[in-house]
Amino acid sequence: MNEGKPTKVKWWSRPRPQDPPGPTEGAAPAPDVVTAGGVAEVSPGGAAELSPGTAWPDAGERPRAGGDDGHDDGDYELERPKPAHPAEAAHPAEAVQPAEAAEPAEAAPLPAHSTGALRGEAPVEQRATPATPTAERPVPLHAPDPYSTPPYGRPGPWAPAPPVQHPAATPPQGTALPPPQAPAPSPSPLSTPWQNYDPWAPVPAPLQQNGAAVATRDQRRGRVRKTLIGGAVLLALVSGGVGGITGAYLERNGGLGDVQLPQAGAEPIGRAPDSVAGIAARALPSVVTLHVTGTAESGTGTGFVLDDRGHILTNNHVVEPAGADGDISVTFHSGDTAKATVVGRDSGYDLAVVKVTGVTGLKPMTLGNSDNVQVGDPVVAIGAPFDLEGTVTSGIISAKQRPITAGGDSDGSDVSYVDALQTDAPINPGNSGGPLLDAQARVIGINSAIRSAAGGSDPDSGQAGSIGLGFAIPVNQARRVAEELINTGRATHPVIGVTLDMDYTGDGARVGTKSGDGGPAVTEGGPGDKAGIEPGDVITEVDGRRVHSGEELIVKTRAHRPGDRLELTLERDGKERKISLVLGSSDGNR
């Protein structure tokens, strides 16, 4: 170390894995390398030595081999460098000397600038660059980064970027500059030595400051999508809850503003012809309301127009209170009224015909055929129950050929025998005489009687009323009687010519022993006498239909016209016989 000889030293740090290996035997000596403060010598073994004037970068001391005893025991310490003598700063070519020993040299780190150069100060001398096996090997511009920093443009968050060389920094005068060197390949992001760097290898995701991996684009999009979907679901739930609460509040409190009720718009007024509304629309112009006033009593009933002459059909018990000098007023559906007179009436059939005069524009009612009616057919009843004119009710045919008796005095006279149609269409006092219509608005019956729960028929008693048991005179029978009343003023009744025992309680109709005036029970020369009927015979069937009482036999007989033939079954002395007879005729209430 004295006498100006260059001192052979060892590096205080071990070479890094990315440093190039030392030269092999027989390799050509490396060219001289000029440092900033002196000349680096290259020994034949490839070890770099510093000249006496060499200065260590960024350090006031340099390493010294050996311990206190002067032996090289592997420990290292720092020694103050001696200033370089001016005379020793010779030409760079003269600084190259042969190595003192043939021991292999340790690889030295690549040259690097001093921190002073980064601050704009004069750069310190360069460390010697170890020789490379081939002369074409590029020399890196700076030492490898000890933190394995990624290449420029992609610094990792875990280490600082490598130092930047400043071209403005110039070496002091008298120092030879090294030849231009090609830049060394940048280390890979995975701290791989530049010799093994693969540019096509996948680059791992960068890390955050907390060490977690940075999310990729797809992951970020997935998180945004999940956030949007979750927000939409939450918004829907909140909106539904708010809407439900608001609706319940408005429903309970009647809303926030004025009440406006919904209403259907205008619709066509026409209805199907076979509907109740269609039937009523066609029939109402032909239905009238009768107001009857007599000396003792008064009442209200219904009727309908038979022809354009002014004939109106109604019940006998409707016009009966007027008597011989009573008053009958007819009110039409249009509201017009007219006086009416009785043309004829019959208590046995409970039918009557009245006539109005001076009235034009009458619309007669179409008559149907009661023989075509079947149980279950729909029907419509029109009348003025309790003086409520133009009332329309509907129902069905509940039964046919119901034998009923209605009216009559205490002595048994003026009793009506009707083989009636039963209906559940509501019929009340005031409906009497009104039409019972089929689905084509044709008359099939005349409403005449009802069965009330209390058994009364007085409208003022408050007990009479419909319970779904109404009865109408078949139109076929009413038509024949109406024609007779219009044409002759009287109606004929078909008769057998016998007197019946009305007190008989057995099954069937028994012929009495004598008549009511004391005469014979079988009229001489009458239809029954000619057929061979004798007093005491019990008639059980009419035209094959069972007869259970005297009233029922009369009803079955009056369902026919005079001159019709009947087939009778009777019992005599315990034996059954069949006979045939032709019905006779009687006037009045017989």
Side-chain angles (χ1 to χ4, degrees), residues 139-215:
V139 178
L141 296 179
H142 57 79
D145 180 25
Y147 298 97
S148 301
T149 306
Y152 293 118
R154 289 173 53 192
W158 57 83
V164 180
Q165 297 193 15
H166 294 270
T170 58
Q173 296 181 357
T175 304
L177 295 177
Q181 302 291 335
S186 301
S188 68
L190 301 178
S191 302
T192 304
W194 65 272
Q195 299 91 339
N196 301 327
Y197 175 68
D198 183 5
W200 305 104
V203 180
L207 300 178
Q208 302 179 9
Q209 292 183 358
N210 58 1
V214 178

Side-chain angles (χ1 to χ4, degrees), residues 497-551:
V498 297
T499 301
L500 299 177
D501 183 6
M502 303 304 293
D503 295 331
Y504 178 70
T505 58
D507 189 33
R510 189 176 67 177
V511 179
T513 57
K514 59 181 180 180
S515 64
D517 55 2
V522 178
T523 304
E524 296 180 0
D529 185 32
K530 295 178 181 179
I533 297 177
E534 298 180 0
D537 290 345
V538 177
I539 302 173
T540 58
E541 292 181 3
V542 175
D543 291 338
R545 295 177 59 192
R546 191 73 181 178
V547 175
H548 301 284
S549 65
E551 289 85 356

Side-chain angles (χ1 to χ4, degrees), residues 3 25 83 125 163-164 174 180 189 202 223 268 329 344 355 391 402 450 464 471 477 482 518 533 554:
E3 299 178 355
E25 293 182 3
E125 61 185 23
V164 180
R223 292 174 183 174
S329 176
K355 183 179 180 180
T391 299
R402 289 293 195 195
I450 62 172
F471 302 95
Q477 181 177 341
I533 297 177
I554 297 173

Side-chain angles (χ1 to χ4, degrees), residues 16 39 55 86 119 131 285 299-300 415 425 434 439 491 499 512 516 519 541 543 575-576:
R16 296 180 58 81
V39 178
R119 294 189 297 267
T300 301
V415 177
T499 301
E541 292 181 3
D543 291 338
K575 295 181 181 181
E576 187 176 87

Side-chain angles (χ1 to χ4, degrees), residues 44-360:
E49 297 182 357
L50 298 178
S51 63
T54 303
W56 292 93
D58 297 336
E61 296 180 351
R62 60 177 179 173
R64 180 174 59 88
D68 296 338
D69 54 0
H71 297 284
D72 187 4
D73 55 1
D75 297 332
Y76 303 100
E77 62 182 11
L78 298 177
E79 226 178 50
R80 295 284 183 181
K82 292 183 180 181
H85 196 277
E88 296 176 357
H91 192 271
E94 299 176 358
V96 179
Q97 298 180 5
E100 295 180 0
E103 59 179 326
E106 297 180 4
L110 297 177
H113 289 286
S114 65
T115 57
L118 297 176
R119 294 189 297 267
E121 300 175 0
V124 299
E125 61 185 23
Q126 299 285 345
R127 292 183 178 84
T129 303
T132 59
T134 59
E136 293 78 13
R137 182 171 183 176
V139 178
L141 296 179
H142 57 79
D145 180 25
Y147 298 97
S148 301
T149 306
Y152 293 118
R154 289 173 53 192
W158 57 83
V164 180
Q165 297 193 15
H166 294 270
T170 58
Q173 296 181 357
T175 304
L177 295 177
Q181 302 291 335
S186 301
S188 68
L190 301 178
S191 302
T192 304
W194 65 272
Q195 299 91 339
N196 301 327
Y197 175 68
D198 183 5
W200 305 104
V203 180
L207 300 178
Q208 302 179 9
Q209 292 183 358
N210 58 1
V214 178
T216 63
R217 180 183 298 177
D218 293 340
Q219 291 176 342
R220 292 195 299 271
R221 289 180 177 177
R223 292 174 183 174
V224 173
R225 189 181 300 108
K226 292 180 180 179
T227 302
L228 293 177
I229 295 175
V233 173
L234 180 60
L235 180 60
L237 293 176
V238 173
S239 301
V242 173
I245 295 174
T246 304
Y249 174 80
L250 295 178
E251 180 181 2
R252 293 176 181 177
N253 295 275
L256 301 178
D258 296 338
V259 176
Q260 295 183 355
L261 302 178
Q263 184 179 15
E267 296 179 355
I269 60 175
R271 295 293 183 268
D274 58 347
S275 65
V276 175
I279 296 170
R282 286 184 287 172
L284 280 172
S286 301
V287 179
V288 299
T289 302
L290 284 78
H291 297 276
V292 179
T293 303
T295 57
E297 55 183 337
S298 62
T300 301
T302 306
F304 58 91
V305 178
L306 290 174
D307 53 28
D308 54 3
R309 297 180 183 181
H311 293 103
I312 297 172
L313 182 63
T314 186
N315 283 135
N316 176 68
H317 71 267
V318 172
V319 299
E320 185 178 12
D325 52 1
D327 182 59
I328 301 175
S329 176
V330 176
T331 303
F332 295 91
H333 181 66
S334 62
D336 297 333
T337 60
K339 295 295 184 179
T341 58
V342 177
V343 175
R345 62 188 184 92
D346 186 271
S347 61
Y349 288 110
D350 195 20
L351 292 173
V353 174
V354 297
K355 183 179 180 180
V356 294
T357 58
V359 179
T360 59

